[in-house]
Amino acid sequence: MSYDFWKGINVLEWGTTIATAFHARMLGDMGARVVKVEPPTGDPARRAGPFPAGVPNSEKSGLFLALNTNKFGITLDPTCETGRAVFGELVKATDILVVDSRPSDLARWRLTFGDLKKLNASLIMVSITPFGATGPYQDFKASDLTIFQMSGYARAMVRGETDPVAKVPVRAQTDQVAMLGGLSATTATSIALLQRAATKQGTFVDVSLWEAMCMLSNGGFAAAAFQQLAPGGNDEPVISRGTVATLEAKSGYVVVSPREDDQWVRWIELIGSPAWANEPRFATRQLRSQNWDELEPLLAEWTSQRTKEETYHMAQAAEIPSFPMNTVADLFRSEQLRVRGAFQTIEHPVAGKLPYPTLPFRPGDQDARPDSPAPRLGEHTENVLAGIGVTKEEQLRLHVLGVI
Amino acid sequence: MRPLEGIRVVDFSWVLAGPICTRYLALMGAEVFKVESHRRPDPSRRGEGFQMLNQNKRGVTLNLSHPEGRTLALELVKKSDVVIENFATGVIERMGLGYDVLKAAKPDIIMVSCAGLGHTGPEKGYAAYGTLIQAHTGWSALQGYSGRKPIIGGAYTDPTSGTWLVALIAAALYRRGQTEQGAYLDVSMAEVTINMLVRPLMEYAIAGTVRQPQGNHDDWFAPHNVYPCAGDDQYIAIAVTNDEEWTGLCQALDLELTSDPRFQTAMGRWKHQDELDPIISQETQRFAVMDLFGRLQRAGVPSGPSFDLAQIMSNEHMVHRGFIHPYTDLKGRTVNIPTVPWRMEGVAPAPATPAPELGTDTEYALREVLNISPEKIAQLQTAGVLY
């Protein structure tokens, strides 16, 4: 479902990364008109899959389909002189240009913010790169793994682990750096649009995936900084051992978090007030955290006799925070998500009907529009170029020359 | 001028997602009133993280269970643009501060209610913390090393939701500017998390497969892992994605592997990665992590040290970009902490001001925003309304 927050805003997306595609999709879902520029050979996500039956098909890649709903798709190579001229015309009719090329490459192609704002003084140009458009690392090579590891968050992932293999800093998989970078860019761009509404001036928004990823740790930075100032000082982390217990259930695991004293009392009552619950070593939140290795198996005695679904419904009925440890497959069976409309079916002319997640909010009295499927390669080239005055004859030339 | 200058926010939110959102709003120029009470302070006051989460905000204490406390909150809403809360579903309505009430008081108010599972549906009342939502949405089951008990990971759902809220509020403010309409936005942290799981969701929808944890490894590329460096607990991440980078890696580490038939092709390296990883680890241990980082980058190999937060705050690149700025708390202690994760030409984030103690700015809010006389303020104090 898409909404009309950004009605009248034109976005031009020129990039090949997940971060860029996700960012532009969010703007499109929120009401902007998004034109995605793909190289004439197609966006790399078209190669990424997953594909039905594992058979590659550039119109059936799940990653591409999900990242590019609500967009118009054109092919164009702005890095050659002829393509650059067409691109410049598009930029003139654009409010937000999103790019992900390295700053040195943009300079080489004469497509920097300085170049483009001469064509459009109110242009907001958003650059999303691993390290940002300035600084000593700006041209360094990076990947999802390396940025994740540099963010400090890989260490948070394994906090409390003691096993030598399990305590090695680990990334969260499935493109989390790119997704968080795209989200961060959306936040910045949205603020930039507010600024522009007041000043009528464009701006350059420089998003660093590394910084976006760091922000997962948020208050952790202050905790670390004050700890350096006064080692051993008063710092109770929000999450300490046992705050969230992952307990074995009949099938899989259930997570339970009776962290506050009143929650703990209700939890002990729910599991039948076993004798050990009165022992002094489990008397306070702090002691329970300290003696977690002994406590965990005692708690699991009760949960292991029940399924994860039974356990969480019973715990929640007693006002104890608890949820099943699910896989994505479980999400399609959730009544809560079904009632909320968290997934929608979109039909694509080649890939067919598939479920896609909807935006994560319900907007009171605003009307929602159904989403349109991801564009086929070059699907809207003709229309979009006609819109900026490129004639059919010129389009044919551009096609033959390999520019579109 | 900052983009949100002139925007006033009443912030009833606690702990993480809400405060993360309002921190960004404050750094972008909004005036944020954080509403607490001595009876129910923000639980995150227990740790130093509170300092960063609540920098640049004003602290107000109101007894919302007192009718006059509720009236004052409503008066503050009338003078504001945005209200945000992340109580359990139904709580704000029971306080008498639900959207219907706020809208009647201020027709174009933008209210954001953020809860674990949202404010509709059979499980809307379920008690939730962000870390539990990570497990519930399938995010946690993807993480950690293969064949082990799943890990919860750090706080993910809360900061992700908090960032989402900023984008949503900015969009609603923009729309209000165009249409003069307010908004009620019912946000589900579970659905925020699901939105970040595009790839595994499509894998299940298209191919029926459920992705398993794989540590630092990758579906297609190898070597792709962290490798130990000299010293204790030092690692470097290396991700080789093509033949050129592989050659670069071998050169940087003086490895004679380019002719080893097992590792000659991308397919071979992936297939034999469990043999390859220990060979690389043997070599990486000879280097200090920052030296190896420079060496690998010069050889064109995607790489990066596994930093801790303190290393990031003193990192030359981060400092150069102005990501790190000084912060002094109310006790006068100064540290360096991050600002916002973007640079905007012509728009500097607000310089850091200290997170408030409970009620630091109650008097300011009443006097300056609500025009209440000092005598009346004293009366409210005595009557237990400002608490």
Side-chain angles (χ1 to χ4, degrees):
Chain A
M1 295 295 140
S2 57
Y3 303 98
D4 67 356
F5 293 96
W6 299 124
K7 197 174 168 183
I9 297 293
N10 291 299
V11 177
L12 187 63
E13 171 200 342
W14 175 43
T16 55
T17 60
I18 291 172
T20 315
F22 182 52
H23 169 45
R25 198 207 78 193
M26 289 175 82
L27 295 173
D29 291 351
M30 302 278 279
R33 178 182 183 273
V34 180
V35 172
K36 181 184 180 80
V37 177
E38 293 184 61
T41 49
D43 188 280
R46 291 184 182 274
R47 296 177 159 271
F51 300 108
V55 180
N57 180 324
S58 62
E59 299 299 349
K60 293 186 180 178
S61 160
L63 192 65
F64 183 85
L65 291 170
L67 289 171
N68 294 290
T69 49
N70 293 325
K71 295 180 187 177
F72 296 93
I74 69 168
T75 57
L76 176 67
D77 175 13
T79 68
C80 66
E81 197 58 32
T82 306
R84 202 170 74 87
V86 178
F87 189 73
E89 291 305 308
L90 287 168
V91 167
K92 284 182 191 170
T94 292
D95 299 288
I96 299 165
L97 170 66
V98 189
V99 300
D100 56 21
S101 295
R102 294 198 299 187
S104 53
D105 288 334
L106 290 175
R108 189 154 51 85
W109 300 322
R110 288 181 293 132
L111 291 169
T112 64
F113 179 60
D115 298 319
L116 295 173
K117 74 178 174 189
K118 287 178 201 149
L119 303 174
N120 179 351
S122 61
L123 180 71
I124 296 172
M125 179 163 164
V126 184
S127 155
I128 311 175
T129 57
F131 296 101
T134 61
Y137 298 175
Q138 59 176 285
D139 285 330
F140 276 21
K141 294 193 89 171
S143 77
D144 185 86
L145 172 71
T146 64
I147 296 290
F148 197 103
Q149 289 285 346
M150 288 177 80
S151 74
Y153 192 74
R155 290 171 183 267
M157 291 289 290
V158 296
R159 188 176 296 143
E161 296 286 347
T162 46
D163 178 285
V165 174
K167 73 177 189 180
V168 174
V170 72
R171 72 155 169 172
Q173 65 168 338
T174 66
D175 326 297
Q176 293 303 304
V177 171
M179 298 300 284
L180 286 160
L183 174 60
S184 198
T186 303
T187 298
T189 305
S190 304
I191 290 170
L193 275 163
L194 275 180
Q195 171 91 345
R196 196 187 69 156
T199 64
K200 313 291 173 210
Q201 292 291 310
T203 187
F204 180 66
V205 179
D206 170 11
V207 176
S208 143
L209 297 180
W210 186 21
E211 291 173 15
M213 186 61 217
C214 283
M215 291 318 290
L216 276 189
S217 299
N218 225 294
F221 281 99
F226 283 111
Q227 189 64 32
Q228 274 186 307
L229 215 59
N234 168 35
D235 180 45
E236 184 189 328
V238 178
I239 302 164
S240 52
R241 280 200 93 200
T243 303
V244 178
T246 304
L247 303 173
E248 218 166 306
K250 242 184 193 170
S251 55
Y253 293 88
V254 65
V255 291
V256 187
S257 186
R259 61 181 73 176
E260 307 296 343
D261 289 338
D262 60 316
Q263 293 166 340
W264 178 254
V265 169
R266 291 196 298 276
W267 168 245
I268 288 302
E269 203 174 302
L270 178 70
I271 65 173
S273 305
W276 52 256
N278 297 320
E279 292 175 25
R281 61 189 169 140
F282 305 135
T284 66
R285 179 178 172 156
Q286 206 181 357
L287 283 167
R288 291 193 287 275
S289 177
Q290 273 170 23
N291 299 312
W292 182 247
D293 289 337
E294 297 149 53
L295 183 55
E296 190 186 277
L298 295 171
L299 298 176
E301 278 175 21
W302 189 80
T303 56
S304 60
Q305 293 162 39
R306 285 157 187 84
T307 65
K308 61 184 185 180
E309 287 82 12
E310 274 177 273
T311 307
Y312 99 96
H313 289 305
M314 284 174 81
Q316 288 284 358
E319 293 179 46
I320 298 152
S322 172
F323 286 98
M325 176 70 81
N326 281 333
T327 68
V328 288
D330 294 309
L331 302 181
F332 294 102
R333 295 188 277 271
S334 159
E335 181 64 5
Q336 172 69 16
L337 294 175
R338 192 191 63 74
V339 170
R340 293 267 302 170
F343 293 102
Q344 62 181 328
T345 301
I346 302 176
E347 183 163 10
H348 183 278
V350 182
K353 286 184 183 174
L354 285 168
Y356 296 74
T358 58
L359 288 176
F361 62 90
R362 302 294 161 264
D365 46 10
Q366 249 196 80
D367 291 333
R369 279 186 310 281
D371 288 321
S372 52
R376 283 165 284 154
L377 184 61
E379 183 178 344
H380 305 101
T381 307
E382 194 183 324
N383 272 345
V384 170
L385 292 196
I388 53 164
V390 183
T391 64
K392 278 210 155 152
E393 195 271 328
E394 288 167 325
Q395 288 197 28
L396 177 63
R397 277 179 188 282
L398 291 168
H399 176 81
V400 172
L401 295 170
V403 176
I404 63 172
Chain B
M1 188 188 148
R2 294 193 175 84
L4 300 181
E5 243 162 68
I7 298 295
R8 190 174 289 140
V9 179
V10 181
D11 180 5
F12 293 109
S13 73
W14 287 10
V15 189
L16 269 180
I20 284 172
C21 163
T22 49
R23 170 184 176 272
Y24 283 129
L25 299 179
L27 287 171
M28 287 290 109
E31 182 175 45
V32 177
F33 286 99
K34 181 181 180 69
V35 182
E36 299 168 274
S37 72
H38 280 84
R39 197 166 54 88
R40 299 180 75 184
D42 184 341
S44 71
R45 284 188 177 276
R46 290 170 190 162
E48 304 281 23
F50 182 85
Q51 295 295 330
M52 177 157 160
L53 293 165
N54 294 285
Q55 63 179 112
N56 294 60
K57 300 179 191 174
R58 297 187 186 278
V60 173
T61 48
L62 290 177
N63 180 356
L64 294 174
S65 52
H66 192 292
E68 274 197 81
R70 181 186 157 274
T71 306
L72 286 173
L74 210 50
E75 289 301 314
L76 195 55
V77 170
K78 281 185 194 171
K79 301 273 177 98
S80 300
D81 305 280
V82 177
V83 174
I84 172 168
E85 59 96 7
N86 62 351
F87 294 114
T89 295
V91 170
I92 195 94
E93 287 80 9
R94 285 201 291 279
M95 286 174 163
L97 294 167
Y99 178 60
D100 292 345
V101 178
L102 302 193
K103 192 183 177 185
K106 179 94 174 14
D108 66 352
I109 196 77
I110 292 164
M111 180 175 184
V112 180
S113 285
C114 177
L117 301 181
H119 290 76
T120 59
E123 297 178 9
K124 66 181 179 190
Y126 277 20
Y129 294 117
T131 39
L132 271 65
I133 297 292
Q134 290 162 209
H136 188 43
T137 53
W139 186 88
S140 295
L142 292 163
Q143 315 311 354
Y145 292 94
S146 84
R148 311 181 82 95
K149 185 174 165 178
I151 60 172
I152 294 292
Y156 173 84
T157 288
D158 272 301
T160 307
S161 301
T163 311
W164 235 110
L165 295 179
V166 182
L168 200 49
I169 288 169
L173 282 167
Y174 183 86
R175 181 171 173 270
R176 189 191 67 169
Q178 306 288 310
T179 65
E180 297 180 358
Q181 286 177 1
Y184 173 70
L185 301 158
D186 157 14
V187 181
S188 155
M189 294 183 11
E191 291 165 29
V192 167
T193 311
I194 290 168
N195 263 268
M196 305 300 273
L197 296 175
V198 165
R199 191 190 293 260
L201 282 169
M202 293 313 274
E203 284 167 349
Y204 182 71
I206 288 180
T209 51
V210 175
R211 176 178 282 274
Q212 298 300 312
Q214 57 176 344
N216 289 308
H217 281 161
D218 184 80
D219 298 352
W220 313 106
F221 302 127
H224 194 280
N225 210 339
V226 294
Y227 302 92
C229 293
D232 188 31
D233 201 26
Q234 299 295 310
Y235 296 91
I236 192 152
I238 297 172
V240 168
T241 62
N242 57 39
D243 295 338
E244 204 183 334
E245 290 164 4
W246 168 244
T247 310
L249 176 68
C250 290
Q251 280 164 2
L253 292 176
D254 300 319
L255 271 171
E256 302 284 335
L257 284 180
T258 42
S259 55
D260 189 320
R262 289 174 300 172
F263 308 129
Q264 239 160 7
T265 67
M267 278 85 88
R269 292 190 289 274
W270 192 83
K271 193 175 163 196
H272 299 287
Q273 61 182 318
D274 290 337
E275 297 153 58
L276 182 53
D277 279 345
I279 299 174
I280 295 172
S281 295
Q282 196 76 40
E283 298 306 317
T284 53
Q285 287 179 55
R286 296 191 284 122
F287 296 92
V289 66
M290 289 307 282
D291 291 344
L292 185 55
F293 180 40
R295 216 176 149 93
L296 289 168
Q297 286 293 342
R298 281 192 296 279
V301 181
S303 53
S306 182
F307 284 133
D308 62 29
L309 301 183
Q311 288 168 314
I312 292 166
M313 288 183 282
S314 60
N315 179 272
E316 54 159 352
H317 180 79
M318 289 304 210
V319 172
H320 182 277
R321 274 178 62 76
F323 181 58
I324 306 298
H325 70 171
Y327 169 85
T328 305
D329 73 358
L330 283 176
K331 293 177 196 154
R333 302 175 300 169
T334 299
V335 292
N336 286 321
I337 56 171
T339 172
V340 296
W342 59 77
R343 302 290 94 70
M344 210 177 281
E345 208 172 280
V347 181
T353 62
E357 296 291 348
L358 272 170
T360 298
D361 306 291
T362 307
E363 205 186 316
Y364 167 88
L366 269 59
R367 202 184 58 224
E368 299 296 323
V369 182
L370 302 180
N371 295 315
I372 296 175
S373 68
E375 296 75 31
K376 177 71 182 167
I377 292 173
Q379 274 175 26
L380 291 165
Q381 193 85 54
T382 318
V385 176
L386 312 180
Y387 181 72

